[in-house]
Amino acid sequence: MKITSIKGFADIFPGEVESWQLVEAKARQVFHAYNFAEIRIPILEKTELFSRSIGETSDIVEKEMYTFEDRDSRAGETVESTKLTLRPEGTAGVVRAYVEAEMYKVEPVRKLYYMGPMFRRERPQKGRMRQFHQIGAEALGRGDPFVDAEILLLLHDFFSAVGLTEPSLQINSLGCSECRPQYRQKLLAFLQHHEQSLCGNCQRRIDRNPLRALDCKEAGCIETTKDAPSIVDSLCAQCREHFATVQRLLSATEVRFALNPRMVRGLDYYCRTTFEWTTGLLGSQSAVAAGGRYDALVEQLGGPAIPGVGFAMGVERLTMLLRLQESAAANGPSLFIVWLGDKARDWAFPAMHRLRRAGVSVEMEGEARSMKSQMRRADKLKAVSVLIVGENELTQGTAALRDMASKQQRGVNLKNIEAELVVRKAN
Ligand code: HAM
């Protein structure tokens, strides 16, 4: 019998590997320009490292880690048993190495980068793997807002070096040990008041980690927390000043950003500046890179009080975006919608708009034409695929999507056209 690979674990074959090499080479160039040095850390660490840093109530530690008991035995008798975990991210390991090697004694300011596989037992889908790869960087020893801005500029430069249309940047401040506890109390009181409208998960961790409710993707929680107190209104004077400087520095550059006070991130070590770069092209797994400041982590892991800030980007998502972009450049629109009849046109126009907003390049005729004439137009424009919609298709809720190169057709659900096309396009 054939042995297959594990679900969520992928091979990267020649043809694909070249874009990985490009991404890695460009990242090294940019890291060099920003004076970051490479560090290579183990893939396996003691479980406690992650539970203590990422947080006991985080999704990663609660349910996504690959953990096993490692037994050292002598003559059949267990001498020692340690719980070990395949690293779900790189920050904790880098900080552990920095503290363990007492790197700060020689020079507290260290700018380190890493590349490699990470492991999370999440439900696999496009852009979400159980073994995935990150390129990440950590700037340790500096608490000033200039280094936060520098990290964001580094990412901006990296995206332009690989030729990626820049994803959108959202930033937030999570405050510090002075102001966050007060915000936490305010939010907790609000959530307790609306507890019945929260999902089970948020209800369960309301006391231990109320901030996570702001990040919950359940419709009920999104609706309920719309009027929740905002963290940016609760920042202490120092955090406010820090965040204002980050924004001022970014505003003086070409980096565009938006404030998102609901962005709390899924790892508990963050404080002050946090950020996410997202793109509409990857469906629901939209974050390409993310990170933030973690000023208490070095101390939490047994070192002195030394601040830090960093980020990690997902290499699978980056290479997927590059491939999408390449095919868009080599071809005409990704989709041409052929419509037959007024009802089909009235469906097609807003659908085209929604798809375009999600980053899919779409075209259609404005005036009524025969199917043959519309197909000729699609051909001339070098459309990658054509969606044929008439009244029957609208009634049935499905239509044929034809690949123009292979002439293969498959049915797609018209009600959920973005999910059908955006996610499959990322294939
Ligand atoms: P994170 O947001 O958990 O942050 O992950 C960073 C990036 O890794 C995500 O934006 C995404 O591109 C990629 N990624 C995460 N999970 C998966 C997955 N299952 N499949 C594919 N790609 C994935 C961290 O890991 C922090 N350590 C970042 C950081 C560094 N913060 C400070 N320093």
Side-chain angles (χ1 to χ4, degrees):
M1 210 175 55
K2 223 171 32 184
I3 300 176
T4 56
S5 63
I6 311 165
K7 190 172 159 193
F9 288 63
D11 302 302
I12 302 144
F13 292 104
E16 229 178 310
V17 99
E18 291 72 14
S19 56
W20 285 66
Q21 289 165 344
L22 170 92
V23 162
E24 289 162 4
K26 293 287 181 192
R28 283 183 201 284
Q29 263 174 27
V30 177
F31 283 136
H32 180 72
Y34 280 77
N35 192 32
F36 277 76
E38 183 171 0
I39 182 165
R40 299 190 184 191
I41 49 168
I43 285 172
L44 207 53
E45 297 270 7
K46 292 184 183 152
T47 304
E48 196 193 347
L49 172 68
F50 302 115
S51 44
R52 232 205 277 170
S53 54
I54 301 171
E56 293 283 3
T57 55
S58 63
D59 284 348
I60 297 179
V61 173
E62 262 191 355
K63 51 187 188 212
E64 294 170 0
M65 297 204 304
Y66 284 95
T67 296
F68 67 93
E69 197 111 339
D70 189 34
R71 279 182 293 268
D72 255 347
S73 44
R74 201 186 307 133
E77 162 206 357
T78 302
V79 177
E80 201 187 329
S81 119
T82 326
K83 266 181 146 185
L84 302 181
T85 293
L86 284 175
R87 61 180 186 192
E89 58 108 50
T91 313
V94 170
V95 172
R96 195 248 333 117
Y98 175 83
V99 171
E100 190 173 352
E102 299 186 327
M103 289 173 83
Y104 50 85
K105 283 200 170 155
V106 183
E107 166 56 60
V109 179
R110 290 297 176 109
K111 291 157 89 178
L112 304 166
Y113 79 86
Y114 51 92
M115 301 180 179
M118 308 288 159
F119 304 83
R120 295 184 195 173
R121 205 171 187 293
E122 295 188 82
R123 195 170 49 80
Q125 63 182 78
K126 263 290 137 262
R128 188 162 72 193
M129 304 294 295
R130 290 183 166 178
Q131 173 175 315
F132 60 99
H133 296 74
Q134 282 186 345
I135 296 180
E138 313 295 345
L140 292 153
R142 279 182 56 186
D144 61 275
F146 289 83
V147 68
D148 306 22
E150 197 181 305
I151 287 244
L152 292 167
L153 278 168
L154 183 158
L155 276 163
H156 168 83
D157 287 356
F158 169 79
F159 293 136
S160 101
V162 288
L164 201 69
T165 312
E166 189 155 313
S168 342
L169 169 63
Q170 297 195 335
I171 61 171
N172 191 18
S173 173
L174 292 182
C176 65
S177 54
E178 289 295 308
C179 52
R180 186 138 36 126
Q182 280 166 32
Y183 172 69
R184 193 179 177 281
Q185 277 317 109
K186 259 200 247 172
L187 181 67
L188 184 61
F190 174 91
L191 294 175
Q192 279 167 339
H193 192 68
H194 296 88
E195 192 165 352
Q196 292 317 313
S197 347
L198 298 174
C199 72
N201 212 8
C202 287
Q203 285 187 8
R204 194 173 46 77
R205 57 187 176 196
I206 192 169
D207 296 314
R208 290 203 294 163
N209 201 344
L211 268 73
R212 298 286 296 138
L214 296 177
D215 202 31
C216 181
K217 304 288 179 282
E218 294 289 329
C221 296
I222 296 177
E223 189 53 39
T224 310
T225 55
K226 259 190 189 143
D227 301 321
S230 160
I231 187 141
V232 286
D233 298 333
S234 298
L235 297 178
C236 64
Q238 287 86 342
C239 286
R240 229 181 5 246
E241 172 66 24
H242 184 102
F243 196 39
T245 310
V246 174
Q247 293 176 61
R248 186 168 48 76
L249 291 168
L250 288 180
S251 301
T253 70
E254 64 275 27
V255 179
R256 293 285 141 264
F257 63 92
L259 295 186
N260 179 2
R262 295 170 64 95
M263 187 179 68
V264 294
R265 309 273 301 120
L267 304 99
D268 286 356
Y269 47 62
Y270 289 117
C271 63
R272 292 197 165 168
T273 319
T274 52
F275 54 85
E276 272 182 18
W277 298 78
T278 57
T279 165
L281 281 174
L282 294 176
S284 60
Q285 299 310 308
S286 60
V288 183
R293 188 161 268 293
Y294 46 85
D295 292 346
L297 186 58
V298 176
E299 202 173 6
Q300 252 172 37
L301 294 179
I306 289 179
V309 56
F311 73 86
M313 37 191 184
V315 185
E316 281 78 3
R317 295 185 192 178
L318 277 170
T319 52
M320 214 185 268
L321 280 174
L322 284 173
R323 267 182 284 135
L324 281 179
Q325 229 174 260
E326 248 170 53
S327 72
N331 295 296
S334 301
L335 179 71
F336 189 92
I337 305 179
V338 169
W339 56 270
L340 302 161
D342 290 352
K343 281 199 180 135
R345 182 198 53 208
D346 292 349
W347 174 87
F349 189 72
M352 173 172 75
H353 182 58
R354 288 199 309 275
L355 285 164
R356 283 175 171 171
R357 274 215 309 224
V360 185
S361 132
V362 190
E363 197 50 276
M364 66 181 262
E365 290 286 22
E367 310 227 349
R369 301 239 187 278
S370 69
M371 168 133 158
K372 205 167 155 197
S373 144
Q374 292 189 61
M375 290 301 284
R376 260 206 309 271
R377 178 100 182 111
D379 211 32
K380 198 159 173 198
L381 289 177
K382 294 203 178 77
V384 180
S385 55
V386 165
L387 183 72
I388 304 160
V389 190
E391 286 206 12
N392 278 347
E393 282 75 11
L394 288 179
T395 318
Q396 285 157 12
T398 57
L401 182 77
R402 174 199 276 251
D403 184 287
M404 293 297 272
S406 66
K407 308 282 183 243
Q408 297 277 331
Q409 289 199 174
R410 67 177 172 87
V412 292
N413 181 352
L414 292 181
K415 288 212 182 71
N416 207 1
I417 195 77
E418 291 102 302
E420 289 267 6
L421 292 178
V422 175
V423 178
R424 282 178 199 259
K425 194 167 166 279
N427 231 325

